[in-house]
Amino acid sequence: MTQPQTQVTRPTVTYTKGDMVLFRDVERFWLGKPGHTFVGRVERSWRHADTGKVLYDLVELSGNRARAGIDPDYMRLLPPADAMRDIDAAPLSEPDTGAMTPAAVAWLRQHLAQDAAALPAQR
């Protein structure tokens, strides 16, 4: 008796302008070529005239290069919460900033400097 093949389906995701995504160039991937995966920013979406499928135009962030007609089946959203997790989980009660990642320290220093500039001068 043969086992029926099951196909994993993922919910349809709609991307909007400005979303950060991970994209895989499937042809480069299956051919074993380098440079098949990159981070991009969604610039626009459009419907293909022949297939009716929604495709996306991205800007590849590493080289600021435009990539047109990207199939969303090979895109994944990069959630802001994942990018900010190290800052959100920074051990603020620790006196040693070495326990924090460099991104968390940089963010805190930037915001402390902004907050200090907004405070009235001490007398």
Side-chain angles (χ1 to χ4, degrees):
M1 180 175 198
T2 61
Q3 293 286 333
Q5 288 194 356
T6 59
Q7 182 178 1
V8 176
T9 58
R10 64 180 194 88
T12 302
V13 177
T14 303
Y15 302 97
T16 58
K17 182 177 175 137
D19 280 348
M20 303 300 275
V21 297
L22 193 64
F23 165 72
R24 177 161 284 160
D25 182 325
V26 70
E27 291 175 12
R28 293 187 71 80
F29 174 77
W30 287 119
L31 292 173
K33 294 181 178 179
H36 53 70
T37 305
F38 67 86
V39 175
R41 182 181 60 246
V42 174
E43 289 300 310
R44 74 179 189 117
S45 63
W46 50 280
R47 190 167 298 279
H48 191 279
D50 294 334
T51 65
K53 185 168 187 162
V54 174
L55 301 175
Y56 293 87
D57 292 347
L58 308 177
V59 170
E60 183 178 345
L61 296 182
S62 64
N64 203 28
R65 190 176 106 182
R67 303 282 298 243
I70 304 298
D71 185 332
D73 288 343
Y74 300 100
M75 292 169 47
R76 297 295 183 266
L77 184 64
L78 295 173
D82 289 350
M84 303 306 287
R85 183 170 288 124
D86 61 334
I87 292 171
D88 294 340
L92 299 178
S93 61
E94 294 290 325
D96 177 22
T97 58
M100 293 186 231
T101 65
V105 173
W107 184 87
L108 288 169
R109 285 186 177 147
Q110 179 183 9
H111 280 68
L112 287 173
Q114 289 173 355
D115 292 346
L119 293 173
Q122 297 245 341
R123 294 181 187 191

